[in-house]
Amino acid sequence: MALLQISEPGQSTAPHEHRLAAGIDLGTTNSLVATVRSGIAETLADENGLHLLPSVVAYLCDEMPLVGHEAQDRANHDPHNTIASAKRLLGRGLDDVKTLGSQLPYDFIEESGMPRIRTVAGELSPVQISADILRSLKQRAESSLAGDLTGVVITVPAYFDDAQRQATKDAAQLAGLNILRLLNEPTAAAVAYGLDQQAEGIFAIYDLGGGTFDISILRLHQGVFEVMSTGGDSALGGDDIDRMIAEWLLQQAEIGENASPHLLRQILGAARLAKEQLSHHEQADIQLILEDEQKTPWQIQLSREKFDALVDPLISKTLLPCRRALRDAGLNPEDIQEVVMVGGSTRVPRVRERVGEFFQREPHVDIDPDKVVAIGAAIQADILAGNKPDNDMLLLDVVPLSLGIETMGGLVEKIIPRNTTIPVAKAQDFTTFKDGQSAMAVHVLQGERELITDCRSLARFELRDIPPMVAGAARIRVTYQVDADGLLSVSAQEQTTGAHSEISVKPSYGLSDNDIEGMLRDAMTSAQQDAQARTLREQQVEADRVINALRAALKADGHHLLKRSEFENIQQHLDSLLHVTRGDDPQAIKQAIDKLDQVTQEFAARRMDSSIRKAMQGHHVEDFQNEDAAS
Ligand code: ADP
Ligand code: MG
């Protein structure tokens, strides 16, 4: 098993030189920034002494957006321009957003396949909104530390898929932050508790926040800290408790279906206050102003007992993934030695009680459950920035969802099963199914289901230039590699002839195949007139793929493999493809792609030569033969 070394080579610093590094918990509901000062990790407060920054951004006309409490204050009277829970939309395709969007009061639009929210400040992507939150935390850190940050560790839910992780990275980049690493939130919490200081043990991290639930089973063995399994529900948290109470209030106050958004917000706010009160009191008093002519005040009491009965079904819903994570790790509840509570919602006494019953032990609640993730991230950031060159802590993470490839008949073959420890690389061999087949499509999917339509499509690319052979003779090795941040790259190479070409993909969340396929599926039910739309879509997807691949190739090798005039010629054809892609003529797009293909053939050949030369450098032919024999 490959170990992920936290101190990266070449990053250790000269003595006395302390690099400013921070840990950021970019939460759905609240975000925090923390840092290690004089050996102690602590969260940083804003100028009003508040640590939690509500993950809310309010957009204004011609002014800088407001972030946090100030933004939250505007939510009631300007709901369309006050964006909360952007993390739920981060890296999501149109389909996901359509489902989520019906619950959110925002004005969603689609722009070249990407969901955006229309505000007075323009049409904004979830990445841009998250970047505004990160920018605010960056400013807070830099003003309280009086210096520029060298780098940050940002935490993500264990359930985040590739696209969501990539979107988080993009948001950080947009905010001008240097990401040292993405870290799973429960893993960060374990680091905060210093569980690595113990000799041995198996621990469960139960994280119930505002919008997400995560469970992680961690094992400390021979000084190595390993995530054995993870599970959770990316759409379950304290917000659901609020909604549960709000629904109860609607019933009790006999408010009908036509309640205004304003009244609903008032009720949700009252529900949250009541919930928080009930963490310390046996009873909560709830007051509402009804929206009749007289603005009648209305009140009711919610007892702890009634509240417990309301939240019980939600708590039960969190125990299912707990059971599954235990099963994935091959454990029973009694194998867990310690349970750590994370997330604001674990302040609910009933949650603590039932989690304690489930794991048959009293959970740890000593560290503030809101801050524990940011604190762990800060400790990691401090180590990664090179401030602790002697630190030998090792951290292992896992792949949260299986990664597979499309095979004949629309089935998914798993290449990296869920809960595999990262970083990891796995390869599988495939072959051609037609005589003389010169290309093979690789479709990368994520999920547990058997059919491609039930999984999330991450990326597609084509392996071209397979030498003509009879069907079944080619040996195409597809390699999946997940790096320490949980990001995937996939490559394919033809093995039998010795010549190989290789393409790497990074899944892009912008125009995901899933979004397009979803639209296609809808389209096909209304048959004929949609056939044209389908062809157009396919061509646009193909064009997108070609454009992205070519841009990457030009960036990597254009300057040293092409003469200026050749470069300009390719650029010109690239521009005309871009132009027709925006139109609605699939035939024109196809022609432009073919043309571009023609003018880049020489470039592709030079690239292949140069990469083979690189691969051969310092090797003897026997090395390759040996490698082959070993595989
Ligand atoms: P996230 O990780 O999703 O950003 P947090 O860990 O900050 O979320 O938790 C936010 C949730 O915790 C909200 O739903 C909030 O209402 C809830 N919460 C905060 N304090 C309490 C409390 N005292 N009792 C119950 N729930 C609380
Ligand atoms: Mg959280």
Side-chain angles (χ1 to χ4, degrees):
M1 187 188 302
L3 298 185
L4 152 56
Q5 185 128 24
I6 291 297
S7 301
E8 315 231 307
Q11 284 209 351
S12 55
T13 45
H16 311 304
E17 185 194 338
H18 185 88
R19 296 190 184 185
L20 297 180
I24 292 179
D25 174 4
L26 180 63
T28 315
T29 323
N30 295 302
S31 298
L32 286 121
V33 59
T35 194
V36 175
R37 275 194 285 204
S38 318
I40 295 164
E42 55 190 8
T43 55
L44 302 173
D46 67 7
E47 62 277 7
N48 301 316
L50 298 169
H51 291 248
L52 259 59
L53 179 77
S55 305
V56 183
V57 188
Y59 290 94
L60 311 166
C61 214
D62 299 326
E63 275 177 64
M64 292 298 283
L66 302 173
V67 182
H69 296 279
E70 280 175 297
Q72 215 168 27
D73 293 342
R74 294 180 58 89
N76 274 337
H77 60 266
D78 195 11
H80 291 291
N81 295 307
T82 308
I83 317 298
S85 298
K87 184 174 173 178
R88 278 190 187 268
L89 308 170
L90 205 54
R92 293 301 194 94
L94 276 177
D95 278 358
D96 304 314
V97 170
K98 259 186 231 150
T99 335
L100 290 164
S102 57
Q103 298 157 18
L104 299 167
Y106 315 130
D107 192 1
F108 284 99
I109 53 154
E110 180 217 321
E111 197 185 279
S112 51
M114 270 181 72
R116 283 176 179 260
I117 297 175
R118 188 176 285 142
T119 72
V120 286
E123 289 154 2
L124 302 169
S125 69
V127 168
Q128 286 170 299
I129 298 162
S130 303
D132 284 324
I133 297 169
L134 290 172
R135 214 172 275 125
S136 168
L137 293 170
K138 177 177 189 269
Q139 279 162 9
R140 181 192 294 189
E142 292 184 341
S143 69
S144 52
L145 301 175
D148 290 347
L149 286 176
T150 309
V152 294
V153 166
I154 298 184
T155 58
V156 291
Y159 246 53
F160 256 25
D161 64 24
D162 248 85
Q164 292 166 303
R165 284 168 200 264
Q166 187 64 50
T168 305
K169 283 194 144 183
D170 289 355
Q173 201 180 15
L174 206 58
L177 288 167
N178 169 34
I179 290 218
L180 298 169
R181 180 152 305 166
L182 295 178
L183 191 64
N184 282 344
E185 287 160 11
T187 310
V191 172
Y193 269 94
L195 292 184
D196 55 301
Q197 304 300 313
Q198 304 194 9
E200 295 267 290
I202 297 176
F203 318 118
I205 314 295
Y206 180 101
D207 178 351
L208 190 59
T212 50
F213 169 63
D214 285 291
I215 179 76
S216 291
I217 310 294
L218 309 178
R219 182 170 64 165
L220 190 65
H221 181 64
Q222 294 179 348
V224 175
F225 199 31
E226 178 192 359
V227 184
M228 293 175 80
S229 69
T230 64
D233 189 332
S234 53
L236 182 63
D239 295 347
D240 299 286
I241 303 181
D242 300 349
R243 273 196 284 278
M244 209 71 130
I245 302 174
E247 270 165 35
W248 177 77
L249 284 173
L250 285 170
Q251 273 171 20
Q252 300 297 310
E254 294 177 357
I255 297 168
E257 302 237 307
N258 46 5
S260 72
H262 180 262
L263 181 62
L264 289 178
R265 274 175 186 263
Q266 191 205 143
I267 292 174
L268 270 176
R272 202 180 64 232
L273 277 180
K275 171 185 75 175
E276 292 178 7
Q277 252 180 34
L278 285 164
S279 294
H280 312 284
H281 300 94
E282 287 302 310
Q283 183 163 295
D285 294 317
I286 303 172
Q287 268 134 23
L288 298 175
I289 307 289
L290 298 182
E291 282 192 327
D292 49 13
E293 301 247 312
Q294 295 80 33
K295 303 262 176 249
T296 320
W298 181 89
Q299 68 176 46
I300 197 169
Q301 287 175 336
L302 175 59
S303 68
R304 170 79 69 78
E305 205 184 340
K306 178 68 199 164
F307 174 63
D308 286 354
L310 285 173
V311 295
D312 259 336
L314 290 177
I315 303 173
S316 302
K317 246 180 119 175
T318 67
L319 298 179
L320 291 174
C322 290
R323 212 163 276 135
R324 209 167 125 177
L326 283 174
R327 205 181 48 219
D328 284 342
L331 299 171
N332 292 312
E334 60 270 20
D335 298 324
I336 302 296
Q337 283 144 28
E338 288 184 67
V339 180
V340 172
M341 296 299 247
V342 182
S345 301
T346 60
R347 289 216 178 85
V348 173
R350 183 69 178 154
V351 171
R352 295 180 173 182
E353 193 180 310
R354 290 202 50 202
V355 171
E357 277 167 17
F358 179 86
F359 288 105
Q360 299 158 34
R361 56 198 27 62
E362 199 70 23
H364 279 290
V365 291
D366 344 328
I367 303 184
D368 189 339
D370 299 318
K371 297 181 180 166
V372 58
V373 166
I375 286 174
I379 295 170
Q380 280 293 285
D382 193 48
I383 296 165
L384 286 173
N387 291 330
K388 283 185 148 187
D390 301 332
N391 196 294
D392 58 356
M393 178 166 62
L394 295 171
L395 256 192
L396 299 171
D397 262 339
V398 295
V399 179
L401 296 167
S402 299
L403 295 164
I405 189 169
E406 176 176 348
T407 59
M408 295 291 285
L411 296 172
V412 181
E413 167 105 19
K414 295 198 175 91
I415 294 194
I416 299 182
R418 65 192 286 263
N419 285 328
T420 302
T421 311
I422 58 171
V424 63
K426 284 199 179 167
Q428 198 149 318
D429 288 348
F430 294 88
T431 189
T432 46
F433 64 94
K434 268 195 207 145
D435 284 344
Q437 184 180 343
S438 66
M440 192 182 90
V442 177
H443 184 192
V444 185
L445 297 123
Q446 186 165 36
E448 306 315 306
R449 307 279 294 271
E450 298 295 323
L451 296 176
I452 58 159
T453 44
D454 294 328
C455 288
R456 187 185 177 92
S457 170
L458 289 180
R460 282 174 202 270
F461 68 95
E462 220 169 72
L463 175 66
R464 288 172 191 229
D465 305 322
I466 299 173
M469 276 182 263
V470 291
R475 204 169 128 225
I476 294 144
R477 174 155 300 179
V478 177
T479 307
Y480 277 43
Q481 189 163 3
V482 181
D483 71 11
D485 293 325
L487 286 174
L488 166 75
S489 58
V490 177
S491 59
Q493 49 185 243
E494 205 291 309
Q495 307 254 307
T496 43
T497 55
H500 67 272
S501 69
E502 189 174 311
I503 309 164
S504 290
V505 286
K506 270 251 159 87
S508 86
Y509 57 90
L511 189 64
S512 90
D513 300 79
N514 211 22
D515 306 343
I516 296 155
E517 274 177 2
M519 282 156 40
L520 287 180
R521 252 178 280 134
D522 293 344
M524 266 161 6
T525 52
S526 47
Q528 215 180 2
Q529 91 231 42
D530 287 356
Q532 172 83 359
R534 183 194 164 108
T535 321
L536 176 63
R537 264 319 196 184
E538 281 172 344
Q539 287 304 333
Q540 285 172 333
V541 173
E542 173 65 4
D544 238 64
R545 191 195 59 70
V546 169
I547 291 165
N548 288 339
L550 180 58
R551 278 184 174 154
L554 285 173
K555 199 172 158 212
D557 295 318
H559 56 286
H560 60 95
L561 293 182
L562 291 171
K563 287 205 283 279
R564 193 193 171 92
S565 61
E566 290 170 328
F567 194 100
E568 277 166 3
N569 185 35
I570 290 176
Q571 189 63 47
Q572 205 179 345
H573 284 90
L574 183 66
D575 288 344
S576 39
L577 175 57
L578 267 169
H579 182 74
V580 293
T581 305
R582 293 195 203 100
D584 56 6
D585 182 0
Q587 209 48 42
I589 300 174
K590 189 175 180 336
Q591 277 164 7
I593 292 174
D594 290 345
K595 187 74 205 155
L596 190 61
D597 202 33
Q598 254 173 39
V599 300
T600 53
Q601 254 172 23
E602 172 64 14
F603 177 42
R606 283 184 214 161
R607 289 193 82 209
M608 208 191 300
D609 286 344
S610 110
S611 74
I612 291 169
R613 256 201 310 279
K614 237 183 265 163
M616 295 291 289
Q617 258 161 26
H619 287 276
H620 297 289
V621 176
E622 302 89 73
D623 293 342
F624 289 90
Q625 283 166 346
N626 288 342
E627 261 171 40
D628 221 58
S631 61

